[in-house]
C-alpha cells in the first residue's frame, strides 16, 4: 500500500463551471457555481491558433458561441470577440470566452479551486499540454491549491509534465482499462478521473492502494453519487449543482 499525497480539493466539483445552468466554461458559470456553494469547478482549457490558453469544450465554435469553424484555427483576437452566452439564453448574451489568465484572476479573488481539463484541438495535444501547464504554473505561482490538470490525452499530460512538473495531474478515462493505475503513475499523475459507469469499490481500492486519488464524472444521479461515496471516491464532478449540496462533501 502506497500512501496517497495530501488532497487539498473539495469533494464536490461543478462541471464546466455550473453544469447546464449557465453557459459552460464562462465566468457566469463559475459565478453561479459559487453561488450554489461550490468551491471547485472543472473546465476545459484549449488554445487559439496564436497560443493563447482559454476555455472551450468543443473542437468547433458553433454549439456554444456565435462563431463558426474549427476553434484552433482562429486567433485569440477573433475568439475574444465572440458571444459565448447567447446560445444559453438572452440574459447571458455578450458573455465572452474567458482566457486562462482572466479565469485565474477570477478564481483567485473568489477562492475557487479548479480542475483544468486540457482539451486539445485536433492534432494540437503537445502544444496545448505544454502551454496550458506553463501558463497555469505562471498564473498560480506561489498559490495553493494549485489547479489539478487533467486530460484524456496522454500526449498532453506528458507535455504538461515536461513544462510544469510541479503541477498536480490526473489521467482521465472514459473506459477504465485494467492498467489504468499503471498508465497514470507512468505519467506522474496523482489521480485518475473516470466516467462513473466504469468505477466500483474494487477499482477505487486498487487506485488507493497505488497511492492515487479517484474522481468521477459526470455524476448527476443521487444513487450513483451514494454508490461511489460508499465505495470511497475522493470527489465527484457534477452538472447537478442545484441538487447536490456541496456542504455534504
Ligand atoms: O473532466 C471531466 C469531464 O469534463 C470530461 O468530459 O467531455 O465533459 O469534458 P467532458
Ligand atoms: Mg471537461
Amino acid at each position: 500500500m502506497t500512501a496517497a499525497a495530501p488532497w487539498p480539493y473539495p469533494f464536490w466539483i461543478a462541471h464546466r463551471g455550473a453544469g447546464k445552468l449557465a453557459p459552460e466554461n464562462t465566468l457566469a458559470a463559475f459565478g453561479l457555481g459559487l453561488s450554489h456553494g461550490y468551491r471547485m469547478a472543472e473546465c476545459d482549457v484549449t488554445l487559439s491558433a496564436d497560443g493563447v490558453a482559454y476555455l472551450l469544450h468543443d473542437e468547433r465554435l458553433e454549439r456554444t458561441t456565435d462563431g463558426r469553424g474549427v476553434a484552433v484555427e482562429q486567433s485569440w483576437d477573433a475568439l475574444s470577440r465572440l458571444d459565448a452566452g447567447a446560445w444559453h439564453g438572452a440574459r447571458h448574451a455578450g458573455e465572452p470566452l474567458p482566457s486562462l489568465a482572466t479565469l485565474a484572476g477570477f478564481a483567485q479573488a473568489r477562492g475557487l479551486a479548479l480542475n483544468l481539463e486540457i482539451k486539445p484541438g485536433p492534432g494540437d495535444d503537445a502544444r496545448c499540454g505544454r502551454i496550458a501547464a506553463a501558463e497555469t504554473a505562471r498564473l498560480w505561482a506561489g498559490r495553493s491549491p494549485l489547479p489539478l490538470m487533467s486530460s484524456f490525452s496522454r500526449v498532453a499530460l506528458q507535455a504538461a509534465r515536461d513544462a510544469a512538473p510541479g503541477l498536480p495531474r490526473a489521467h482521465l478515462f472514459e473506459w477504465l482499462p485494467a492498467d489504468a493505475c499503471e498508465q497514470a503513475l507512468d505519467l506522474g499523475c496523482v489521480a485518475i478521473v473516470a466516467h462513473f459507469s466504469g468505477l466500483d469499490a474494487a477499482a477505487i481500492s486498487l487506485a488507493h492502494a497505488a497511492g492515487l486519488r479517484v474522481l468521477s464524472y459526470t455524476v448527476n444521479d443521487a444513487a450513483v453519487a451514494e454508490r461511489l461515496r460508499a465505495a470511497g471516491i475522493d470527489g465527484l464532478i457534477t452538472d447537478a449543482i442545484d441538487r447536490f449540496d456541496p456542504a455534504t462533501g
Side-chain angles (χ1 to χ4, degrees), residues 2 9 19 22 42 47 49 100 153 177 187 189 195-196 198 208 230 238:
T2 308
Y9 303 110
E42 183 267 2
L47 293 187
L100 183 60
S153 165
L187 289 171
C189 293
H195 189 266
F196 64 83
H208 284 167
T238 185

Side-chain angles (χ1 to χ4, degrees), residues 15-16 42 44 57 115 117 119 150 152 172 217 237:
H15 187 225
R16 305 184 196 172
E42 183 267 2
D44 304 292
H57 178 274
N115 169 202
E117 182 192 342
K119 193 76 107 177
S150 62
F152 291 107
L172 267 160
Y217 75 94
I237 300 170

Side-chain angles (χ1 to χ4, degrees), residues 130 133 155-165 169:
R130 173 172 55 81
V155 171
L157 286 171
Q158 176 78 58
R161 178 169 72 172
D162 292 346
R169 288 173 304 282

Side-chain angles (χ1 to χ4, degrees), residues 3 14 24 27 33-34 41 72 77 83 89 93 95 99 102 104 121 126 134 142 161 164 171 203 208 238-239 242:
E24 64 189 53
L27 294 194
L34 279 162
V72 74
D77 182 59
D83 184 326
E95 189 72 32
S99 67
T102 296
R161 178 169 72 172
H171 201 314
H208 284 167
T238 185
D239 292 319
D242 54 342

Side-chain angles (χ1 to χ4, degrees), residues 4-13 40 115 145 148 168-170 189-193 211-215 233-236:
W7 191 246
Y9 303 110
F11 182 86
W12 286 104
I13 303 165
M40 182 164 182
N115 169 202
L148 177 66
R169 288 173 304 282
C189 293
V190 297
I192 59 177
V193 185
L212 293 162
R213 302 286 184 161
V214 186
L215 308 181
I233 198 88
D234 296 290
L236 295 177

Side-chain angles (χ1 to χ4, degrees), residues 116-198:
L116 300 178
E117 182 192 342
I118 303 167
K119 193 76 107 177
D124 201 31
D125 297 54
R127 188 184 72 127
C128 191
R130 173 172 55 81
I131 293 179
E135 267 291 275
T136 300
R138 183 181 70 79
L139 292 164
W140 271 267
R143 295 183 177 269
S144 179
L146 292 167
L148 177 66
M149 312 298 291
S150 62
S151 193
F152 291 107
S153 165
R154 291 183 60 78
V155 171
L157 286 171
Q158 176 78 58
R161 178 169 72 172
D162 292 346
L167 290 179
R169 288 173 304 282
H171 201 314
L172 267 160
F173 293 101
E174 191 170 358
W175 306 108
L176 205 60
D179 65 346
C181 293
E182 288 75 9
Q183 288 196 43
L185 292 170
D186 183 52
L187 289 171
C189 293
V190 297
I192 59 177
V193 185
H195 189 266
F196 64 83
S197 58

